[in-house]
């Protein structure tokens, strides 16, 4: 019997106003079969500091956060 | 058993009454449970010598329903409330439970050093608040507010993913934005909003 832990980003969502949400799933596997799963969610607002964020999330943020999106989000706050 | 078919050896486990009641009985090696859906009263019944229902599992990714009577999602997990910037914490944690479109959150921040973090705004909510309304969040406990205020309240921004904390230093007619979070502030909160 071998237990392993997998942490994967299984959801990334961008809302209309530019907020990026992503979900990390932590899966405990026993001999290749999943025996438990937990979630951790994170949200990132336009122009937020992305230090320490996963590379694929950073790429999506950089694509979604155009100057227009950032300006519109900040104007709405 | 292939998809959509029942093997002859398994037919004895499934019965269908003339009134449309379906009863699923486990094999003889595990006779302590049966499921009837629906029973004569229209209920889902789990019965047997040790009846139990371990849970109802929803898809990992919600399949949204527009029907007002359909429960289409359940999820629980954690999130990390943050003030951003260079703030450091001794405790920084949160949990969420989403049932349908209702999101219940809890969080606790114990700030070590505020640095360049926000003094009035918590970010990182697990889901976006629906557009059209600002939802109130209850503050269960606080200690060492950065400003001596007479009252404050917290709310999830309209269509946003942050909690804004407003305050009043003296009696007034509009909300104020005095600094709440500072070195040593402890802040515990919980509340609901809708996605």
């Amino acid at each position: 019997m071998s237990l392993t832990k997998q942490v994967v980003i299984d959801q990334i969502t961008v809302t209309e106003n530019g907020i990026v949400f992503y979900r990390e799933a932590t899966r405990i596997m026993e001999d290749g079969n999943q025996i438990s799963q937990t979630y951790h969610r994170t949200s990132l607002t336009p122009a937020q500091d992305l230090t320490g964020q996963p590379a694929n999330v950073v790429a999506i943020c950089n694509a979604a956060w155009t100057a227009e999106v950032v300006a519109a989000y900040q104007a709405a706050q | 058993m292939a998809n959509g078919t029942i093997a002859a050896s398994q037919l004895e486990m499934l019965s269908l009454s003339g009134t449309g009641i379906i009863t699923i009985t486990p094999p003889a090696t595990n006779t302590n449970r049966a499921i009837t859906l629906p029973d004569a009263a229209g209920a889902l019944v789990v019965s047997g010598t040790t009846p139990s229902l371990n849970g109802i599992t929803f898809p990992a990714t919600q399949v949204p329903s527009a029907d007002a009577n359909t429960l289409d999602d359940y999820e629980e997990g954690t999130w990390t409330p943050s003030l951003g910037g260079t703030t450091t914490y001794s405790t920084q944690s949160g949990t969420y439970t989403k049932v349908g479109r209702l999101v219940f959150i809890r969080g606790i921040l114990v700030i070590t050093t505020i640095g360049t973090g926000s003094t009035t705004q918590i970010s990182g909510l697990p889901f976006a608040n629906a557009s059209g309304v600002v939802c109130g969040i209850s503050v269960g406990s606080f200690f060492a507010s950065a400003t001596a205020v007479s009252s404050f309240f917290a709310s999830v921004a309209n269509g946003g993913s942050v909690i804004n904390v407003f305050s009043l230093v003296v009696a007034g007619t509009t909300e104020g934005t005095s600094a709440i979070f500072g070195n040593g502030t402890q802040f515990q909160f919980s509340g609901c909003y809708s996605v």
Side-chain angles (χ1 to χ4, degrees):
Chain A
M1 179 185 74
S2 68
L3 293 175
T4 58
K5 183 170 85 170
Q6 297 178 352
V7 179
V8 299
I9 296 175
D10 70 343
Q11 280 187 14
I12 303 177
T13 306
V14 183
T15 61
E16 187 177 2
N17 59 0
I19 302 172
V20 174
F21 294 85
Y22 69 91
R23 183 176 75 179
E24 284 181 314
T26 301
R27 298 167 182 158
I28 304 300
M29 313 292 287
E30 181 183 71
D31 297 330
N33 298 313
Q34 180 179 309
I35 59 174
S36 77
Q37 177 170 254
T38 59
Y39 294 128
H40 186 89
R41 284 186 174 268
T42 302
S43 60
L44 302 166
T45 56
Q48 184 173 332
D49 179 19
L50 296 175
T51 303
Q53 300 298 333
N56 55 343
V57 173
V58 170
I60 289 173
C61 291
N62 288 334
W65 293 351
T66 63
E68 292 78 10
V69 168
V70 172
Y73 179 83
Q74 292 177 340
Q77 301 310 300
Chain B
M1 180 177 73
N3 287 341
T5 62
I6 299 175
S9 62
Q10 294 173 307
L11 280 176
E12 63 186 26
M13 297 160 48
L14 181 66
S15 66
L16 176 63
S17 77
T19 56
I21 296 173
I22 300 171
T23 300
I24 302 170
T25 306
T29 54
N30 184 17
T31 57
N32 61 351
R33 293 175 188 170
I35 298 175
T36 304
L37 61 164
D39 73 348
L44 167 65
V45 176
V46 180
S47 59
T49 53
T50 55
S52 66
L53 187 62
N54 289 335
I56 302 171
T57 302
F58 288 82
T61 299
Q62 180 186 8
V63 181
S65 169
D67 181 64
N69 299 111
T70 298
L71 178 59
D72 60 4
D73 194 25
Y74 179 86
E75 182 182 319
E76 55 190 52
T78 58
W79 64 290
T80 305
S82 172
L83 304 178
T86 58
T87 301
T88 59
Y89 314 85
S90 61
T91 303
Q92 182 187 23
S93 65
T95 63
Y96 69 85
T97 303
K98 181 175 182 288
V99 182
R101 66 181 182 183
L102 181 70
V103 179
F104 173 73
I105 57 161
R106 298 194 306 168
I108 178 169
L109 290 174
V110 180
I111 300 163
T112 304
T113 306
I114 189 68
T116 60
S118 174
T119 58
T120 58
Q121 188 178 82
I122 300 169
S123 60
L125 286 175
F127 300 93
N129 186 24
S131 296
V133 67
V134 173
C135 292
I137 296 295
S138 297
V139 179
S141 171
F142 79 97
F143 175 77
S145 171
T147 303
V149 296
S150 58
S151 67
F152 58 72
F153 66 94
S155 59
V156 183
N158 177 11
S161 62
V162 298
I163 298 172
N164 293 307
V165 182
F166 301 99
S167 57
L168 287 174
V169 176
V170 296
T173 58
T174 59
E175 59 202 23
T177 55
S178 297
I180 298 298
F181 304 119
N183 297 341
T185 301
Q186 299 181 20
F187 199 77
Q188 298 187 46
F189 56 94
S190 64
C192 292
Y193 61 98
S194 178
V195 299

